[in-house]
Amino acid sequence: MAQKLYIQTNGCQMNEYDSDKMRDVLQASHGMELTEFPELADVLLLNTCSIREKAQEKVFSAIGRWKKIKDKRPDVIIGVGGCVASQEGAALQKRAPYVDIVFGPQTLHRLPELLNQARKGQQHVVDISFPEIEKFDALPAPRAEGPKAYVSVMEGCSKYCTYCVVPYTRGEEVSRPLNDVIAEITTLAEQGVREINLLGQNVNAYRGETADGEIASFALLLHYVAAVDGIDRIRFTTSHPLEFTDDIIEAFAEIPELVNHLHLPVQSGSNRILAEMKRGHKREDYLEIIRKMKAVRPGISLSSDFIIGFPGETEQDFADTMDLIETVGFDFSYSFIFSPRPGTPAANYIDEVSIATKEQRLQILKERLNDMTMAFSDAMIGTVQSVLVEGASKKNPLHLTGRTENNRVINFAAHPRLIGQFVDVLVTEALPNSLRGRVVETSIEKITQIA
């Protein structure tokens, strides 16, 4: 009987990608199968995120529940990976000695070896090193699970924003060779993947080596991905304004496979706060990028990240952020109250802004952005959207679900044979978190003729 593996994933899309690779390496090495029930697992893995406050406490809370499983079945292996593991290292096992394995984001490919060491009785199995790009060379061949897939093209971050822990937990920026990325995407396309989402902490900082020893820019990578037969839609996340060069903007003008949506985190609309954050750009720089993007892609959907209540944030700083929101016209955003991360410069900044003030500002910002999001959704009613059909709807298994170019979930009645295909869907209703629609009949006829 195959051994059972349970993985709990916290955090970003990079972590989701990494968790999939953890499953792949342990399936290849030990024949493990995923289970949805931790009580049935032989190996329990927690893939952690350290971006938000109290991340460590959430980790100990989760593995504390698993301790009860291990008490009943001592042979169960508990492993903690991801950014909190990288940050805490061996200290994690001192606080929770029942944890068998601690590994970082760059060493997940060594899980089979680490697991073998733990099963042989070795105590305190820890590997949180940064072996650069070795991880990708050691992973099994990519496996498609549906019509869309994530592909990590670079790791780490070298920007060292004062509030961010990522450079310390994932290392500095390292890009995969261009041919390796394209080979992975080609393999996925051959398995039916139609949409690729390129991942990286600062994905547009990609600088991958080519076969002839040259360095490929992110814009060149986009052109290569678009040339892969079968890939009809390209997304990427997360990008940084400092690396958003003119050739990337030109790529949006030249590559129809690039979706009409851009997620470009700005964090604040105040130049003073941006300087304190060490973002390396001003609001004027950001607005110039947006101006150029709107020129080549009229109607493009824009989203961003905002940190509210950064130490010393004044009413004017907050007003500058709200003004930026109005000027850009964001479709939606991810917004959070500043969370001091241990080991970052901003964790030591004097902060006289009360939590009540921060919460009030966050609420104001979220309400305005929610209004803007709903306005965009309402404006889509009556339009026909190209939708990649992903599978059955979670709320109604008789309906199908997919995403529009601007990343909205849309549900509609249709035959399951459309899964994995692009169809034209008329938007009929806008809800707070999704859309409803009706498949345009000519779209079905076109797919039937192709088939």
Side-chain angles (χ1 to χ4, degrees):
M1 182 181 296
Q3 293 182 326
K4 300 296 184 182
L5 170 68
Y6 178 84
I7 304 176
Q8 178 177 320
T9 307
N10 300 337
C12 64
Q13 290 167 320
M14 289 290 288
N15 272 20
E16 293 177 16
Y17 177 86
D18 284 349
S19 289
D20 286 343
K21 299 307 176 186
M22 293 176 199
R23 174 206 60 196
D24 290 347
V25 296
L26 289 176
Q27 185 176 62
S29 65
H30 290 71
M32 288 193 170
E33 295 179 354
L34 276 184
T35 177
E36 297 180 2
F37 306 101
E39 297 81 9
L40 301 179
D42 300 287
V43 176
L44 296 157
L45 298 180
L46 178 62
N47 193 6
T48 64
C49 174
S50 60
I51 294 298
R52 301 264 66 83
E53 191 176 9
K54 298 181 180 177
Q56 286 89 340
E57 296 309 312
K58 291 180 180 178
V59 168
F60 289 110
S61 175
I63 60 178
R65 292 191 293 271
W66 291 354
K67 182 179 182 297
K68 298 176 182 178
I69 298 175
K70 193 175 179 70
D71 287 342
K72 294 179 180 179
R73 294 191 290 127
D75 289 340
V76 168
I77 298 294
I78 296 177
V80 178
C83 291
V84 172
S86 179
Q87 199 170 11
E88 295 292 305
L92 195 152
Q93 287 178 319
K94 289 182 180 178
R95 180 170 169 182
Y98 49 87
V99 171
D100 301 286
I101 303 171
V102 177
F103 60 101
Q106 310 295 12
T107 53
L108 66 87
H109 62 289
R110 297 175 180 172
L111 263 175
E113 175 188 346
L114 301 177
L115 176 58
N116 289 339
Q117 291 174 14
R119 283 186 165 163
K120 289 178 182 177
Q122 184 172 329
Q123 299 293 311
H124 309 303
V125 179
V126 179
D127 189 345
I128 54 170
S129 57
F130 296 104
E132 293 197 345
I133 220 69
E134 174 193 305
K135 174 173 85 174
F136 296 100
D137 295 333
L139 294 176
R143 181 179 59 181
E145 294 186 349
K148 65 177 188 177
Y150 295 115
V151 173
S152 181
V153 303
M154 56 89 69
E155 288 271 352
C157 179
S158 303
K159 300 298 183 286
Y160 288 93
C161 297
T162 58
Y163 57 83
C164 186
V165 75
V166 168
Y168 310 100
T169 59
R170 283 187 175 264
E172 296 213 333
E173 293 165 358
V174 180
S175 297
R176 297 176 65 189
L178 176 67
N179 284 0
D180 289 1
V181 175
I182 299 306
E184 179 173 344
I185 293 172
T186 300
T187 300
L188 290 167
E190 290 170 349
Q191 297 176 50
V193 168
R194 307 290 301 280
E195 175 182 303
I196 289 293
N197 194 331
L198 305 174
L199 298 180
Q201 265 70 40
N202 290 314
V203 69
N204 55 329
Y206 175 83
R207 300 291 184 272
E209 187 175 357
T210 64
D212 57 5
E214 298 295 318
I215 298 298
S217 67
F218 184 63
L220 181 60
L221 173 64
L222 291 173
H223 281 279
Y224 270 84
V225 175
V228 175
D229 189 34
I231 299 302
D232 298 312
R233 183 177 280 181
I234 304 170
R235 303 183 189 273
F236 58 85
T237 189
T238 295
S239 47
H240 194 294
L242 273 182
E243 305 284 354
F244 214 89
T245 49
D246 285 344
D247 60 348
I248 297 175
I249 296 171
E250 291 169 8
F252 273 89
E254 299 166 353
I255 303 175
E257 289 85 357
L258 274 170
V259 295
N260 211 30
H261 167 250
L262 172 64
H263 183 70
L264 186 61
V266 64
Q267 307 302 356
S268 175
S270 163
N271 278 337
R272 192 184 71 82
I273 294 297
L274 288 171
E276 289 291 317
M277 289 178 167
K278 199 182 173 185
R279 288 289 288 169
H281 65 86
K282 296 182 178 180
R283 62 178 283 146
E284 292 80 9
D285 303 321
Y286 187 88
L287 290 172
E288 180 63 8
I289 294 170
I290 299 304
R291 184 193 68 77
K292 291 178 179 178
M293 282 298 300
K294 288 183 175 180
V296 300
R297 284 288 186 96
I300 190 169
S301 167
L302 300 163
S303 59
S304 191
D305 296 347
F306 292 94
I307 295 175
I308 300 303
F310 191 81
E313 182 187 71
T314 65
E315 287 293 341
Q316 184 58 55
D317 293 326
F318 178 66
D320 289 344
T321 294
M322 294 302 297
D323 177 72
L324 181 78
I325 288 170
E326 298 296 336
T327 301
V328 172
F330 289 106
D331 188 346
F332 60 94
S333 85
Y334 302 97
S335 312
F336 306 95
I337 288 175
F338 168 73
S339 173
R341 307 313 303 131
T344 62
N348 299 316
Y349 288 1
I350 297 174
D351 187 7
E352 297 177 347
V353 185
S354 70
I355 186 63
T357 298
K358 293 178 182 182
E359 290 175 346
Q360 181 184 37
R361 289 175 183 172
L362 181 65
Q363 187 62 27
I364 292 170
L365 178 138
K366 282 190 169 183
E367 286 181 0
R368 180 63 188 122
L369 284 165
N370 286 341
D371 289 344
M372 296 172 84
T373 298
M374 202 64 215
F376 271 96
S377 294
D378 287 340
M380 293 176 71
I381 296 174
T383 67
V384 175
Q385 301 288 324
S386 176
V387 175
L388 176 59
V389 186
E390 298 175 14
S393 170
K394 292 180 179 179
K395 293 186 176 180
N396 186 344
L398 298 179
H399 287 188
L400 299 181
T401 189
R403 286 184 184 270
T404 61
E405 278 204 36
N406 62 346
N407 211 29
R408 273 173 171 68
V409 173
I410 184 166
N411 299 301
F412 47 91
H415 195 282
R417 72 173 182 273
L418 297 182
I419 294 173
Q421 304 293 328
F422 283 94
V423 296
D424 292 331
V425 179
L426 175 69
V427 181
T428 58
E429 186 178 1
L431 303 171
N433 298 309
S434 64
L435 304 172
R436 286 179 182 162
R438 183 176 69 250
V439 177
V440 177
E441 290 302 318
T442 54
S443 177
I444 299 178
E445 293 170 5
K446 191 183 301 181
I447 291 173
T448 303
Q449 291 170 1
I450 294 172

